[in-house]
Amino acid sequence: MFTDLTTALAIAKANLGVTGTDRDAEITALLEASAGTDANGTTNYRPYLVAAYFLPLWGAIARQQLISADGATWLKPKDFDPLITSLLTLQESADCGLTIDECWSTDNLRERLLCGCKAETGEIAVALLGANVI
C-alpha cells in the first residue's frame, strides 16, 4: 500500500506527532525492517505498525506522562491501548496480500504491546514465589 519510503515516514511521524527530523533515522530503520513485499516483489512499508511500536515510549516522553496539572494525573501504559489497537488494525487491513516476516506480524506486535509477556503480567512471579515457599 505504501511503496514510497518518504510517504511512509511522513505517515508514521504524523501518527506519532513527531515534527522535525531528529527521529527520522529510527523511524526509517523500523519502516525498512518491518516492510513486507507484494506478489510482484515490491517493498511495502508499514507506517501504522511503526507508529504503534513507538507510541507508548515516545508518547509518554512527549507528554512527560502528564495528563492534567491539577492533581497531577499521569499517563499509564494502558492509556495507549485503544490507539495501538486502532493503528495495528489499520495496518492489518493494509497488509492484505503482503508477505511479512512473522516477527513483524501485527498479531505478534499486538501481543507484545497489549498483552505483555508472562514476566510483565506477574505470572512468573507467582510460580517463583511458590517455588521459594516450598
Side-chain angles (χ1 to χ4, degrees), residues 22-56:
D22 292 351
R23 299 284 190 170
D24 284 8
E26 291 171 90
I27 297 170
T28 299
L30 277 189
L31 283 168
E32 291 173 339
S34 67
T37 54
D38 62 21
N40 297 321
T42 303
T43 299
N44 284 251
Y45 300 101
R46 305 169 70 221
Y48 303 115
L49 178 121
V50 171
Y53 188 90
F54 281 127
L55 183 67

Side-chain angles (χ1 to χ4, degrees), residues 46 49 100-110 112:
R46 305 169 70 221
L49 178 121
I100 297 162
D101 185 313
E102 188 174 322
C103 293
W104 290 102
S105 76
T106 53
D107 287 339
N108 284 341
L109 190 56
R110 182 177 281 116
R112 282 182 273 167

Side-chain angles (χ1 to χ4, degrees), residues 65-105:
Q65 295 186 342
L66 184 63
I67 294 175
S68 70
D70 291 340
T73 306
W74 301 95
L75 283 171
K76 298 179 266 329
K78 282 285 184 201
D79 294 332
F80 292 106
D81 286 0
L83 185 52
I84 290 170
T85 298
S86 294
L87 288 166
L88 291 176
T89 300
L90 185 58
Q91 186 62 64
E92 197 168 45
S93 296
D95 287 348
C96 290
L98 297 181
T99 301
I100 297 162
D101 185 313
E102 188 174 322
C103 293
W104 290 102
S105 76

